[in-house]
Amino acid sequence: MLKIGDIEMKNQVVLAPMAGVCNPAFRLIAKEFGTGLVCAEMVSDKAIIHGNKRTREMLFVDEREKPLSLQIFGGDRKSLVEAAKVVDQETNADIIDINMGCPVPKVTKCDAGARWLLDPNKIYEMVSAVVESVSKPVTVKMRIGWDSEHIYAVENARAVERAGGQAVSVHGRTREQLYTGHANWDIIKEVKEAVSIPVIGNGDVLTPEDARRMLDLTNCDGVMIGRGALGNPWMLYRTIEYLQTGKLLPDPSLEEKIRIAILHMDRLVALKGEAVAVREMRKHLAWYLKGIKGSARIKDVIMEETKRDDMVRILNQFVSQLHMVENEGASTSAASPVTVAQ
């Protein structure tokens, strides 16, 4: 099993710390679906230090989510250390993760995120400073390099290990690639061979079979799932089952998808209030509905909704009408679109 410091996970499956996605509402669903470790979305070190209300709310950890990793980012050693101390002393997160992979310019321009990938010495200095200041295990999530000409994954992982980092997650893409192209699992394998701390592989794990192939190819200690879980938390428990037994569980029914989507929305409402939650839920529902016949029309309607009860009514109506179409033997007819009353 995957073990980071003295924190032992019940399996090798890890939910990636996706920005705008991995709040307690979604993380708890992932945990209920069996995920060994869930990671919270990244939080700015300076926002933590300045006591930003919204940022402090992002540090909330439901006991049912544990074990949980809380991710911070920053480019200044002093502020990163101070933020890490807050996470260490004022939250019940189990692990402090440092972001070393975010590719967006507003982060890299602050000498944070993927910018670190160019300087193993800075990685050592920053990680060691955090490790010396906290009691919780410190980990790092990184990409393999800045671009195809600057791939220092092995050197960077070794710097993390020397600095006292307890694990490293490696996304098999460069900063330049963003989320395009293919993840390079061979470099994840090289990192695993170069360090003795746990290595968690990330990138292009979209099916349970992908997870198995990644583990077999790289010999990594855990598999991190990100985009493959968007609107599809079943990917998590199907992967766990497949890795443990070799059994490939079926995809969920439409009713099950909608049930979990509504549960997700209700937890967001409890967390953020109806107005914000419903607006946020629009993108999630687009993911939950992906690939379902007739869903293009309902997505257009959902994007205009502002009320929780109206969302639920539309979703339930969609399920009923889709079944009606199927029962009439017209489920494959392009001339029989599903309609949604507003």
Side-chain angles (χ1 to χ4, degrees):
M1 289 300 100
L2 175 62
K3 187 175 183 180
I4 297 174
D6 59 354
I7 310 298
E8 189 166 354
M9 274 48 84
K10 61 183 180 181
N11 55 58
Q12 297 169 285
V13 175
V14 181
L15 176 68
M18 294 175 283
V21 172
C22 290
N23 52 49
F26 186 67
R27 297 194 312 250
L28 186 54
I29 289 172
K31 182 61 69 170
E32 290 167 343
F33 276 62
T35 309
L37 176 67
V38 295
C39 301
E41 58 187 314
M42 67 179 188
V43 186
S44 160
D45 59 349
K46 289 182 170 56
I48 292 174
I49 295 168
H50 295 153
N52 179 288
K53 182 176 182 293
R54 179 176 173 273
T55 300
R56 286 302 181 113
E57 289 172 352
M58 291 172 70
L59 301 181
F60 171 75
V61 178
D62 188 311
E63 281 293 322
R64 295 172 293 176
E65 301 177 71
K66 293 165 66 68
L68 176 138
S69 171
L70 208 158
Q71 187 181 76
I72 60 176
F73 74 94
D76 175 75
R77 181 167 65 179
K78 183 177 178 181
S79 60
L80 192 71
V81 167
E82 290 306 310
K85 287 180 180 178
V86 172
V87 176
D88 187 49
Q89 299 166 16
E90 299 180 30
T91 81
N92 58 345
D94 301 280
I95 295 165
I96 301 171
D97 188 60
I98 301 174
N99 181 291
M100 206 171 84
C102 182
V104 300
K106 70 177 182 179
V107 172
T108 58
K109 284 179 180 177
C110 298
D111 204 23
R115 194 72 191 177
W116 292 24
L117 299 170
L118 292 165
D119 190 351
N121 290 328
K122 173 165 184 170
I123 292 168
Y124 174 79
E125 292 170 5
M126 298 286 271
V127 175
S128 61
V130 172
V131 168
E132 290 168 6
S133 303
V134 300
S135 59
K136 292 176 179 176
V138 175
T139 62
V140 167
K141 185 176 190 294
M142 69 180 198
R143 285 174 175 252
I144 57 173
W146 179 257
D147 55 31
S148 59
E149 302 298 317
H150 301 85
I151 294 178
Y152 307 141
V154 169
E155 297 93 326
N156 290 342
R158 284 175 171 160
V160 171
E161 182 175 36
R162 287 200 319 275
Q166 297 285 301
V168 60
S169 301
V170 184
H171 183 166
R173 288 182 173 83
T174 63
R175 191 271 333 166
E176 183 180 54
Q177 283 181 276
L178 300 177
Y179 299 97
T180 64
H182 298 288
N184 189 327
W185 292 0
D186 290 330
I187 294 179
I188 298 175
K189 179 181 181 180
E190 291 175 13
V191 171
K192 173 59 185 172
E193 292 171 348
V195 299
S196 58
I197 57 176
V199 174
I200 300 168
N202 178 221
D204 291 349
V205 180
L206 302 176
T207 68
E209 297 96 324
D210 290 338
R212 179 76 272 164
R213 283 194 293 270
M214 174 179 273
L215 287 169
D216 290 344
L217 174 67
T218 69
N219 199 33
C220 60
D221 302 276
V223 175
M224 181 173 279
I225 297 173
R227 288 177 294 163
L230 294 176
N232 185 23
W234 300 271
M235 164 60 179
L236 299 166
Y237 87 74
R238 292 178 74 238
T239 298
I240 293 162
E241 180 69 22
Y242 187 70
L243 293 180
Q244 292 179 345
T245 70
K247 182 179 179 181
L248 196 58
L249 298 175
D251 286 319
S253 65
L254 176 58
E255 287 86 354
E256 172 68 1
K257 283 191 173 185
I258 299 304
R259 183 182 74 83
I260 295 299
I262 292 172
L263 173 64
H264 188 170
M265 179 166 57
D266 286 344
R267 286 179 173 168
L268 270 180
V269 170
L271 191 68
K272 302 188 175 188
E274 183 177 38
V276 174
V278 172
R279 189 166 60 248
E280 261 191 39
M281 197 63 199
R282 293 170 183 166
K283 66 182 179 185
H284 290 284
L285 285 170
W287 291 324
Y288 277 105
L289 294 166
K290 185 177 180 181
I292 298 174
K293 294 186 296 289
S295 64
R297 186 179 180 88
I298 188 178
K299 288 176 188 175
D300 291 340
V301 176
I302 283 170
M303 292 303 162
E304 303 298 323
E305 287 301 330
T306 59
K307 300 293 184 183
R308 179 265 180 200
D309 290 348
D310 289 338
M311 281 284 209
V312 172
R313 174 181 56 78
I314 291 168
L315 291 169
N316 288 334
Q317 183 184 32
F318 172 66
V319 173
S320 299
Q321 291 194 355
L322 191 60
H323 283 323
M324 183 172 66
V325 170
E326 290 173 343
N327 290 338
E328 291 172 355
S331 60
T332 59
S333 173
S336 302
V338 175
T339 59
V340 179
Q342 296 187 51

